[in-house]
Amino acid sequence: MGLKVLVLGGGGREHALVWKLQQSPRVSQVVCAPGNGGIAADAECLAVDLSDVGSMAALAGNLQADLTVVGPELPLSLGVVDEFNRRSLPVFGPSRRAARLESSKAFARGFMQRHNIPGPHYAICGTQAEVASALPLFSAPLVVKADGLAAGKGVVIAPTREAAAYVAAEMLSGKATGEAGAQVVLEEFLTGEEVSFLVLCDGERAVPLGVARDYKRVGDGDTGLNTGGMGAYSTAGMVEPMMVEWLLQHVARPVIEGMKAEETEYRGILYCGLMMTARGPMVLEFNCRFGDPETQAVVMRMESDLLEAMQASVEGRVSGGDMAWSAPASACVVLASGGYPGKFETGRKISGLKNLASIEGLKVFHAATEMRDGEFYTSGGRVLGVTATGVDLRSAVERAYEGAAQISFEGMHYRRDIGGVTPKPAG
């Protein structure tokens, strides 16, 4: 009898996790809650409130799930793993205290300083007066971050100190990011190549799980507003083996050891958002779960059994870190609703999804869709993640763009420079 796995969440990341977990020979069923229209085509979807830890735990108990995988950050920040552990339900992810690395930017910066983890210069401010006294310590541009979770909208790059003061005031007042802006973090603006380094942790050990690069700005050439992510790619040679070892030694393992020293075990995924600067790698942010859309790119390359890796984390037996990879490169292009990341409309009919079967090495992960009368409609800002593998980065990106060109819905837009590759003209 195979294992039953529950995936909590309903975005593109969760669709990718469902798809990959179903490939494990040890899995008999994957259930997703709440899921979305596209996920429902691949797995059973059940309703659940991702802000209610009791209802999520009850669902897992009723299903008799052998493992629950927590996708988004909100349930982690609310202590869903703690509730599962209290009920002796197997769950993949960090505890509420450990997840503060993501849920509180101020906590993360203080933790990094305590444990000598490299990052930008910063200041934590709780009032406009504190902002005013800290600003002269920074040169422009600088970064202003809301302390709490803000669904990818809590980071602003301010071109001047005056702009930074205005953004910080908006956050502190609650207008810009609600409760997430009770404190703000001012940070030095770093330049270099961004890298997402994913690590699998079991409370004692950390092993690399994959490397990717994502694109946060909405427009080509990294212009426009920050988003939840407009695309990503992953290749075999993105980071040299010596650099991977350096990152484990100076970033990932100090997190595991630091958490343990502060009487908090860290299990699950540690996502290290890095800037490779002239001063060396610097941590821009930590996430306590798989990234989105990096997950879509990473799992497309992964040959290893993802269930086995997750169970090793839960059971405290992570070892080796030798993940097997089936493709040299992969890329994900996010198709977004008109107006995103600002105000956008939903309910737009999606055309062309049935035309993609002929494109080898391509998978469309649904991020925000619903199905009505056999047709898919948009239900959010980031709608689809068109993801493809290739023998090299260019071929993977071109294949993803070939797929994207077949799809249409009113207002649809996407970046046309993922991986430094421009889509071929139609025809």
Side-chain angles (χ1 to χ4, degrees):
M1 187 70 180
L3 303 181
K4 182 182 287 187
V5 182
L6 170 64
V7 176
L8 294 173
R13 164 186 49 223
E14 287 76 32
H15 194 180
L17 293 174
V18 165
W19 176 80
K20 185 61 189 172
L21 286 163
Q22 285 176 326
Q23 294 170 20
S24 170
R26 297 173 54 225
V27 169
S28 61
Q29 184 185 11
V30 180
V31 177
C32 191
N36 63 41
I39 297 174
D42 286 351
E44 181 183 1
C45 290
L46 298 173
V48 78
D49 181 354
L50 293 175
S51 65
D52 185 339
V53 296
S55 67
M56 287 181 278
L59 175 63
N62 292 338
L63 285 172
Q64 295 184 303
D66 296 291
L67 180 68
T68 297
V69 178
V70 187
E73 59 271 30
L74 178 63
L76 294 172
S77 72
L78 295 173
V80 68
V81 168
D82 307 70
E83 181 62 20
F84 272 63
N85 288 335
R86 193 179 69 77
R87 301 189 190 197
S88 300
L89 297 168
V91 61
F92 177 79
S95 67
R96 181 176 187 167
R97 286 188 68 202
R100 288 180 298 168
L101 278 177
E102 177 171 9
S103 63
S104 171
K105 302 289 190 294
F107 171 82
R109 286 295 172 219
F111 178 89
M112 287 172 59
Q113 190 164 29
R114 290 193 296 279
H115 300 285
N116 299 310
I117 297 168
H121 302 305
Y122 72 94
I124 299 168
C125 306
T127 65
Q128 287 178 246
E130 289 175 358
V131 171
S133 63
L135 277 173
L137 303 174
F138 294 86
S139 56
L142 68 158
V143 184
V144 185
K145 295 183 176 181
D147 174 47
L149 296 176
K153 312 288 170 43
V155 178
V156 176
I157 299 167
T160 64
R161 289 176 183 158
E162 291 76 18
Y166 174 80
V167 169
E170 288 287 290
M171 287 182 178
L172 288 167
S173 72
K175 291 178 188 173
T177 53
E179 291 179 12
Q183 283 184 305
V184 298
V185 182
L186 306 181
E187 288 182 6
E188 165 194 17
F189 178 75
L190 299 175
T191 57
E193 183 87 2
E194 274 194 64
V195 170
S196 303
F197 182 53
L198 279 73
V199 183
L200 185 70
C201 310
D202 69 357
E204 295 276 345
R205 290 163 292 273
V207 298
L209 188 68
V211 183
R213 185 194 168 188
D214 78 329
Y215 291 77
K216 284 282 189 280
R217 297 291 195 92
V218 70
D220 292 355
D222 287 332
T223 57
L225 295 172
N226 267 342
T227 70
M230 292 298 293
Y233 68 83
S234 177
T235 68
M238 282 184 74
V239 176
E240 295 291 329
M242 281 181 66
M243 178 54 76
V244 169
E245 188 53 44
W246 191 95
L247 293 172
L248 285 171
Q249 187 176 338
H250 295 278
V251 178
R253 288 180 188 134
V255 169
I256 305 307
E257 290 159 10
M259 280 283 169
K260 197 172 179 184
E262 297 185 14
E263 299 181 346
T264 302
E265 198 176 57
Y266 193 100
R267 292 180 186 239
I269 289 291
L270 178 67
Y271 166 115
C272 310
L274 305 166
M275 184 71 81
M276 311 304 269
T277 78
R279 304 203 309 262
M282 300 276 176
V283 176
L284 295 176
E285 64 174 353
F286 287 120
N287 290 341
C288 296
R289 34 79 196 179
F290 284 97
D292 188 344
E294 296 96 326
T295 304
Q296 291 87 306
V298 168
V299 301
M300 282 288 280
R301 290 185 54 229
M302 188 184 292
E303 191 174 306
S304 310
D305 189 327
L306 183 58
L307 174 76
E308 171 57 32
M310 289 175 167
Q311 285 194 313
S313 166
V314 172
E315 295 167 9
R317 52 180 179 83
V318 162
S319 65
D322 289 330
M323 300 295 292
W325 303 98
S326 57
S330 59
C332 174
V333 175
V334 171
L335 311 186
S337 294
Y340 176 82
K343 190 176 180 182
F344 56 85
E345 294 187 353
T346 59
R348 302 295 190 232
K349 185 177 176 180
I350 303 169
S351 303
L353 288 171
K354 293 168 186 169
N355 304 337
L356 303 175
S358 62
I359 304 177
E360 187 185 349
L362 185 88
K363 173 69 179 175
V364 179
F365 295 113
H366 289 236
T369 65
E370 59 184 6
M371 181 175 262
R372 299 199 303 267
D373 302 323
E375 300 285 351
F376 286 109
Y377 293 83
T378 67
S379 63
R382 293 187 296 165
V383 179
L384 299 167
V386 184
T387 311
T389 55
V391 294
D392 55 26
L393 179 58
R394 173 169 286 278
S395 64
V397 176
E398 286 180 348
R399 193 174 278 171
Y401 278 131
E402 183 187 350
Q406 303 287 324
I407 301 168
S408 64
F409 53 86
E410 188 183 337
M412 181 180 98
H413 65 98
Y414 56 92
R415 281 188 59 157
R416 295 168 188 270
D417 63 347
I418 303 300
V421 178
T422 304
K424 292 177 180 176

